Amino acid sequence: FHLVNLVVHILSAFIVYFLALILFRRLAPSNDNSNSGWYRSVIPAAFAALIFVLHPVQTQAVTYIVQRYTSMAGMFYLGAVLCYILGRQVLEQARTLHQTRNRQAWCKGLAWFGLCFLCGLAAFLSKQIALSLPLAILLVEYLLFDQTWAGWKKKLMYLAPACAVFLLFVLYSAGALQGEISLGRLLEETDQRTRETLEISRLQYLLTQFQVVSIYLGLLVWPKNLSLDYMYPFVHSLFQGWTIWGLLLLTALAGTGIWLRKALPAVSLGVFWFFIALSVESSLIPISDALFEHRLYLPLFGLALILGYALGKALQRWKRPALAVAVLLLCVLAIGTFQRNQVWQDRVSIWADTVEKRPENPRAHNNLGQALEDQERIQEAAKHYQQALELRPGYADAHLNLGLILAKSGRIDQAGQHFVRAANLRPGLARAHYNLGLVRQSQNKHQEAIGHYQRALEADPKMLNARLNLAGALAQNGRYQEAIRQLDRLLELDADNFDALMNKGSLLFMTGESQKALQALDQALEIDPESVQAVMNKGIILLRTNQAQEAMRSFGRALELDPGNEQARQLLLQAMQQMGSGS
């Protein structure tokens, strides 16, 4: 999995190189064919690509396996922009060619545009951050090709339909165009699908992003104290904390981009690329977590472009010093990325690093506790669960995890208190109800146990252990037929569940259906032919139903598997006596 992520990242870096190369050649053209072309475009483009591939902030998007969503979306997004620029260049050249070659050039240009559209769709299907792709293409069109109003009026004839088709695809993929379509329903579904959580308002999220985007800028410039989970708090007012200063900083940066659009279009492109690439996750679409480093994967191209352009300018005057500084910077970034990857070696190291840098983060303490528990470091795990609850007393997952540790250590009553707290905090937390059912069952409170198992299954109908234990609690309560029905439902989900077949065999025998009981036990033995208990249960049923010869075979098989099994030996003698008496 990690190899795939690395390949995606490297492919993205190559796309960044070719994209930067084209941009520098257009935005900083050379008047001669000497080495100045290398210094103005090739070396700066390579530097930009290496910044992109080596920056420590990229670690989360590459090393964190699931974040290939981000890196794949970034690769296709960058590829779409590159294809658009190549297509536009072909059409530019077509105007100067004679008719036959002009037709060929137009076909080639349209092919590039088609590939651009396909890359855009692939980017969106990878992750919804690609919603901002049309804005990125419009930015490139404006800064690289045409800044005149007359030219833009003509472009709207084909750019507007292309953007509309892309938007329709996005809406269809999100399910907003299925069923009856009306303006009111479309607006309502668009509102629902452009929010990841209902607990945070759009305004609250936007205000928080004034701080977060400013932090992102700091991480790009000085990637120190990187963290897997910032759990950044949300703000409620423009004047809370330093929110207004973040807004002023971002406004100044945007103003700088506008001011430099004529004199330094490459810098302007880098600035606005940063804002556009963040626009989906750092604007008015509420997301449960305000800040994550992997969201900087695509915006980093903006900084890489600016630094590459700056290197190109510096190389015109100070070649050796500029190259030395560039190499030194790349070495520092490479070392930082290497060190950051050491932290990602295992779950304990990454969450210990997070706790060290964010000691006020209850989620980090809880996750570190789980990682420590997996390594059998129970006391340390319990300590972090307790710290998580000190930071957030209403943290259901921490209550659940601490309860599990207490239950394993035999402190059932205390464990039950934590399970009750977790279930009250999050009624839909299936594991809390399941474990509370286990506690109540151990306390011989079978009716309460049944209720909790049922609530666990309401939250997660595929929770097999909950259904298995529900069947057991029902049986202990004398409700055999209901227990059998639960086992049948479990076997529909997992036909080879050995425990379910064993329990079903026992219950069927208790309800007088001996033949069906034997069939269930035979199925269990097909799964585990060396199960002494299954062989014994089958033998007992055969003995009770006067099938002494078959019972003898079963008990003999049990003794083969477990020669010291005295119960099997006694039952074998009973079967032999029954056989001898002919009864």
Side-chain angles (χ1 to χ4, degrees), residues 345-381:
Q345 291 299 311
D346 57 55
R347 290 177 62 209
V348 171
S349 62
I350 188 61
W351 286 115
D353 175 78
T354 307
V355 164
E356 180 184 351
K357 293 171 180 175
R358 304 283 163 180
E360 75 287 353
N361 185 337
R363 188 163 58 195
H365 282 286
N366 180 67
N367 291 341
L368 177 56
Q370 289 179 309
L372 290 166
E373 189 175 353
D374 289 343
Q375 293 187 358
E376 302 297 328
R377 296 160 66 177
I378 303 302
Q379 294 303 319
E380 294 176 75

Side-chain angles (χ1 to χ4, degrees), residues 306-356:
I306 293 171
L307 292 177
Y309 182 77
L311 177 63
K313 287 292 186 181
L315 287 172
Q316 296 176 38
R317 292 189 177 185
W318 313 287
K319 288 184 176 59
R320 290 185 179 179
L323 283 174
V325 171
V327 171
L328 178 61
L329 177 59
L330 292 175
C331 289
V332 169
L333 293 176
I335 292 170
T337 298
F338 177 80
Q339 291 177 339
R340 185 63 186 155
N341 272 283
Q342 298 308 301
V343 175
W344 281 84
Q345 291 299 311
D346 57 55
R347 290 177 62 209
V348 171
S349 62
I350 188 61
W351 286 115
D353 175 78
T354 307
V355 164
E356 180 184 351

